[in-house]
Short mmCIF file of all heavy atoms in Angstrom, two decimals:
data_model
loop_
_atom_site.label_atom_id
_atom_site.label_comp_id
_atom_site.label_asym_id
_atom_site.label_seq_id
_atom_site.Cartn_x
_atom_site.Cartn_y
_atom_site.Cartn_z
N GLY A 117 -61.91 23.53 -10.42
CA GLY A 117 -62.67 23.85 -11.61
C GLY A 117 -61.84 24.37 -12.75
O GLY A 117 -62.33 25.16 -13.58
N VAL A 118 -60.59 23.93 -12.85
CA VAL A 118 -59.71 24.41 -13.91
C VAL A 118 -59.48 23.34 -14.98
O VAL A 118 -58.70 23.57 -15.90
CB VAL A 118 -58.36 24.86 -13.32
CG1 VAL A 118 -58.55 26.07 -12.41
CG2 VAL A 118 -57.67 23.73 -12.58
N LEU A 119 -60.13 22.18 -14.88
CA LEU A 119 -59.98 21.16 -15.91
C LEU A 119 -60.79 21.53 -17.14
O LEU A 119 -61.95 21.94 -17.02
CB LEU A 119 -60.41 19.80 -15.38
CG LEU A 119 -59.47 19.08 -14.41
CD1 LEU A 119 -60.09 17.76 -13.96
CD2 LEU A 119 -58.11 18.82 -15.05
N PRO A 120 -60.25 21.38 -18.33
CA PRO A 120 -61.02 21.66 -19.54
C PRO A 120 -62.18 20.68 -19.69
O PRO A 120 -62.13 19.54 -19.17
CB PRO A 120 -59.98 21.50 -20.66
CG PRO A 120 -58.65 21.58 -19.99
CD PRO A 120 -58.86 21.06 -18.59
N PRO A 121 -63.21 21.05 -20.41
CA PRO A 121 -64.34 20.12 -20.62
C PRO A 121 -63.93 18.84 -21.34
O PRO A 121 -64.48 17.76 -21.05
CB PRO A 121 -65.33 20.94 -21.44
CG PRO A 121 -64.97 22.36 -21.15
CD PRO A 121 -63.51 22.38 -20.93
N ALA A 122 -62.97 18.92 -22.25
CA ALA A 122 -62.54 17.72 -22.97
C ALA A 122 -61.94 16.70 -22.01
O ALA A 122 -62.16 15.49 -22.13
CB ALA A 122 -61.53 18.09 -24.05
N VAL A 123 -61.18 17.19 -21.02
CA VAL A 123 -60.58 16.28 -20.03
C VAL A 123 -61.67 15.70 -19.14
O VAL A 123 -61.62 14.51 -18.78
CB VAL A 123 -59.52 17.03 -19.21
CG1 VAL A 123 -58.94 16.14 -18.12
CG2 VAL A 123 -58.42 17.57 -20.09
N LEU A 124 -62.66 16.49 -18.80
CA LEU A 124 -63.74 15.97 -17.97
C LEU A 124 -64.50 14.87 -18.70
O LEU A 124 -64.87 13.85 -18.10
CB LEU A 124 -64.70 17.10 -17.61
CG LEU A 124 -64.14 18.17 -16.64
CD1 LEU A 124 -65.16 19.29 -16.46
CD2 LEU A 124 -63.82 17.54 -15.30
N GLU A 125 -64.71 15.10 -20.00
CA GLU A 125 -65.40 14.07 -20.77
C GLU A 125 -64.55 12.82 -20.91
O GLU A 125 -65.05 11.69 -20.87
CB GLU A 125 -65.77 14.62 -22.14
CG GLU A 125 -66.82 15.72 -22.11
CD GLU A 125 -67.12 16.26 -23.48
OE1 GLU A 125 -66.51 15.73 -24.45
OE2 GLU A 125 -67.95 17.18 -23.60
N ALA A 126 -63.25 12.98 -21.12
CA ALA A 126 -62.38 11.81 -21.27
C ALA A 126 -62.29 11.01 -19.98
O ALA A 126 -62.27 9.78 -19.99
CB ALA A 126 -60.99 12.26 -21.71
N LEU A 127 -62.25 11.74 -18.87
CA LEU A 127 -62.17 11.05 -17.57
C LEU A 127 -63.54 10.73 -16.98
O LEU A 127 -63.60 10.10 -15.92
CB LEU A 127 -61.38 11.92 -16.58
CG LEU A 127 -59.92 12.21 -16.94
CD1 LEU A 127 -59.28 13.13 -15.91
CD2 LEU A 127 -59.12 10.92 -17.05
N ARG A 128 -64.58 11.16 -17.68
CA ARG A 128 -65.96 10.94 -17.23
C ARG A 128 -66.16 11.46 -15.80
O ARG A 128 -66.63 10.75 -14.92
CB ARG A 128 -66.31 9.45 -17.30
CG ARG A 128 -66.27 8.88 -18.71
CD ARG A 128 -66.60 7.40 -18.69
NE ARG A 128 -66.54 6.86 -20.06
CZ ARG A 128 -66.80 5.58 -20.36
NH1 ARG A 128 -67.12 4.72 -19.39
NH2 ARG A 128 -66.72 5.17 -21.60
N LEU A 129 -65.77 12.73 -15.62
CA LEU A 129 -65.92 13.36 -14.32
C LEU A 129 -67.07 14.36 -14.39
O LEU A 129 -67.27 15.04 -15.41
CB LEU A 129 -64.63 14.09 -13.92
CG LEU A 129 -63.40 13.21 -13.68
CD1 LEU A 129 -62.19 14.09 -13.41
CD2 LEU A 129 -63.65 12.25 -12.52
N PRO A 130 -67.84 14.51 -13.31
CA PRO A 130 -68.90 15.52 -13.29
C PRO A 130 -68.32 16.91 -13.20
O PRO A 130 -67.14 17.10 -12.87
CB PRO A 130 -69.72 15.15 -12.06
CG PRO A 130 -68.74 14.47 -11.16
CD PRO A 130 -67.78 13.73 -12.05
N ALA A 131 -69.11 17.91 -13.48
CA ALA A 131 -68.65 19.29 -13.40
C ALA A 131 -68.35 19.64 -11.95
O ALA A 131 -68.99 19.16 -11.01
CB ALA A 131 -69.70 20.24 -13.98
N ALA A 132 -67.34 20.51 -11.74
CA ALA A 132 -66.93 20.89 -10.38
C ALA A 132 -67.91 21.86 -9.80
O ALA A 132 -68.78 22.41 -10.48
CB ALA A 132 -65.53 21.50 -10.42
N VAL A 133 -67.78 22.11 -8.52
CA VAL A 133 -68.64 23.06 -7.83
C VAL A 133 -68.38 24.45 -8.40
O VAL A 133 -67.23 24.87 -8.55
CB VAL A 133 -68.38 23.03 -6.32
CG1 VAL A 133 -69.29 24.05 -5.61
CG2 VAL A 133 -68.63 21.64 -5.78
N ALA A 134 -69.39 25.14 -8.73
CA ALA A 134 -69.23 26.44 -9.38
C ALA A 134 -68.62 27.44 -8.40
O ALA A 134 -68.99 27.49 -7.24
CB ALA A 134 -70.58 26.95 -9.87
N GLY A 135 -67.64 28.19 -8.88
CA GLY A 135 -67.03 29.25 -8.08
C GLY A 135 -66.03 28.80 -7.05
O GLY A 135 -65.72 29.58 -6.15
N ALA A 136 -65.53 27.57 -7.12
CA ALA A 136 -64.55 27.11 -6.13
C ALA A 136 -63.23 27.86 -6.30
O ALA A 136 -62.71 28.45 -5.35
CB ALA A 136 -64.35 25.61 -6.24
N GLY A 137 -62.66 27.84 -7.52
CA GLY A 137 -61.43 28.58 -7.78
C GLY A 137 -60.21 28.00 -7.09
O GLY A 137 -60.26 26.96 -6.43
N LEU A 138 -59.06 28.67 -7.28
CA LEU A 138 -57.78 28.25 -6.68
C LEU A 138 -57.59 28.98 -5.36
O LEU A 138 -57.05 30.09 -5.29
CB LEU A 138 -56.62 28.55 -7.64
CG LEU A 138 -56.59 27.72 -8.92
CD1 LEU A 138 -55.46 28.21 -9.83
CD2 LEU A 138 -56.41 26.25 -8.61
N GLY A 139 -58.03 28.38 -4.29
CA GLY A 139 -57.86 28.94 -2.97
C GLY A 139 -56.72 28.27 -2.21
O GLY A 139 -55.98 27.42 -2.73
N PRO A 140 -56.54 28.61 -0.96
CA PRO A 140 -55.48 28.00 -0.15
C PRO A 140 -55.62 26.48 -0.05
O PRO A 140 -54.61 25.75 -0.06
CB PRO A 140 -55.65 28.67 1.21
CG PRO A 140 -56.33 29.96 0.91
CD PRO A 140 -57.24 29.69 -0.24
N ALA A 141 -56.83 25.98 0.05
CA ALA A 141 -57.01 24.54 0.16
C ALA A 141 -56.58 23.84 -1.12
O ALA A 141 -55.95 22.77 -1.09
CB ALA A 141 -58.48 24.23 0.49
N GLN A 142 -56.93 24.43 -2.26
CA GLN A 142 -56.55 23.82 -3.53
C GLN A 142 -55.02 23.83 -3.73
O GLN A 142 -54.43 22.87 -4.18
CB GLN A 142 -57.23 24.56 -4.69
CG GLN A 142 -58.70 24.26 -4.85
CD GLN A 142 -59.55 25.00 -3.83
OE1 GLN A 142 -59.08 25.94 -3.17
NE2 GLN A 142 -60.81 24.59 -3.67
N TRP A 143 -54.37 24.97 -3.32
CA TRP A 143 -52.91 25.02 -3.45
C TRP A 143 -52.23 24.02 -2.50
O TRP A 143 -51.21 23.42 -2.86
CB TRP A 143 -52.42 26.43 -3.15
CG TRP A 143 -52.63 27.39 -4.27
CD1 TRP A 143 -53.45 28.47 -4.30
CD2 TRP A 143 -52.00 27.33 -5.55
NE1 TRP A 143 -53.40 29.12 -5.50
CE2 TRP A 143 -52.49 28.43 -6.31
CE3 TRP A 143 -51.09 26.48 -6.15
CZ2 TRP A 143 -52.11 28.68 -7.61
CZ3 TRP A 143 -50.69 26.74 -7.46
CH2 TRP A 143 -51.18 27.82 -8.17
N ALA A 144 -52.77 23.82 -1.34
CA ALA A 144 -52.22 22.82 -0.42
C ALA A 144 -52.35 21.43 -0.99
O ALA A 144 -51.45 20.58 -0.87
CB ALA A 144 -52.91 22.92 0.94
N ALA A 145 -53.51 21.17 -1.64
CA ALA A 145 -53.69 19.87 -2.27
C ALA A 145 -52.71 19.68 -3.41
O ALA A 145 -52.14 18.59 -3.60
CB ALA A 145 -55.13 19.73 -2.76
N TYR A 146 -52.52 20.75 -4.23
CA TYR A 146 -51.53 20.68 -5.31
C TYR A 146 -50.13 20.37 -4.75
O TYR A 146 -49.39 19.54 -5.28
CB TYR A 146 -51.49 22.00 -6.07
CG TYR A 146 -52.44 22.07 -7.23
CD1 TYR A 146 -53.40 23.09 -7.32
CD2 TYR A 146 -52.39 21.14 -8.27
CE1 TYR A 146 -54.27 23.18 -8.39
CE2 TYR A 146 -53.26 21.22 -9.34
CZ TYR A 146 -54.20 22.23 -9.41
OH TYR A 146 -55.07 22.31 -10.46
N THR A 147 -49.75 21.03 -3.67
CA THR A 147 -48.40 20.84 -3.10
C THR A 147 -48.20 19.41 -2.60
O THR A 147 -47.17 18.77 -2.86
CB THR A 147 -48.19 21.83 -1.95
OG1 THR A 147 -48.37 23.17 -2.44
CG2 THR A 147 -46.79 21.68 -1.37
N GLY A 148 -49.17 18.90 -1.86
CA GLY A 148 -49.04 17.54 -1.35
C GLY A 148 -49.02 16.50 -2.45
O GLY A 148 -48.19 15.57 -2.43
N ALA A 149 -49.92 16.64 -3.44
CA ALA A 149 -49.96 15.67 -4.54
C ALA A 149 -48.70 15.75 -5.39
O ALA A 149 -48.13 14.72 -5.82
CB ALA A 149 -51.20 15.90 -5.39
N GLY A 150 -48.20 16.98 -5.63
CA GLY A 150 -46.97 17.12 -6.41
C GLY A 150 -45.76 16.54 -5.71
O GLY A 150 -44.91 15.88 -6.33
N ALA A 151 -45.66 16.77 -4.40
CA ALA A 151 -44.54 16.20 -3.64
C ALA A 151 -44.59 14.68 -3.66
O ALA A 151 -43.55 14.01 -3.80
CB ALA A 151 -44.55 16.72 -2.21
N LEU A 152 -45.78 14.12 -3.52
CA LEU A 152 -45.91 12.67 -3.56
C LEU A 152 -45.52 12.12 -4.93
O LEU A 152 -44.82 11.09 -5.02
CB LEU A 152 -47.35 12.27 -3.22
CG LEU A 152 -47.64 10.77 -3.19
CD1 LEU A 152 -46.78 10.08 -2.14
CD2 LEU A 152 -49.13 10.51 -2.93
N GLY A 153 -45.96 12.80 -5.99
CA GLY A 153 -45.60 12.33 -7.33
C GLY A 153 -44.11 12.44 -7.61
O GLY A 153 -43.51 11.53 -8.19
N LEU A 154 -43.49 13.55 -7.21
CA LEU A 154 -42.05 13.70 -7.42
C LEU A 154 -41.25 12.68 -6.62
O LEU A 154 -40.27 12.12 -7.11
CB LEU A 154 -41.62 15.12 -7.04
CG LEU A 154 -42.09 16.25 -7.97
CD1 LEU A 154 -41.66 17.59 -7.42
CD2 LEU A 154 -41.56 16.03 -9.38
N ALA A 155 -41.66 12.44 -5.37
CA ALA A 155 -40.95 11.45 -4.57
C ALA A 155 -41.10 10.05 -5.15
O ALA A 155 -40.16 9.24 -5.13
CB ALA A 155 -41.46 11.49 -3.13
N GLY A 156 -42.30 9.75 -5.67
CA GLY A 156 -42.53 8.41 -6.23
C GLY A 156 -41.75 8.17 -7.50
O GLY A 156 -41.01 7.17 -7.63
#
Side-chain angles (χ1 to χ4, degrees):
V118 295
L119 285 179
V123 177
L124 291 175
E125 293 179 1
L127 298 177
R128 297 179 181 181
L129 294 175
V133 180
L138 292 175
Q142 285 77 15
W143 282 114
Y146 270 124
T147 302
L152 181 61
L154 290 177

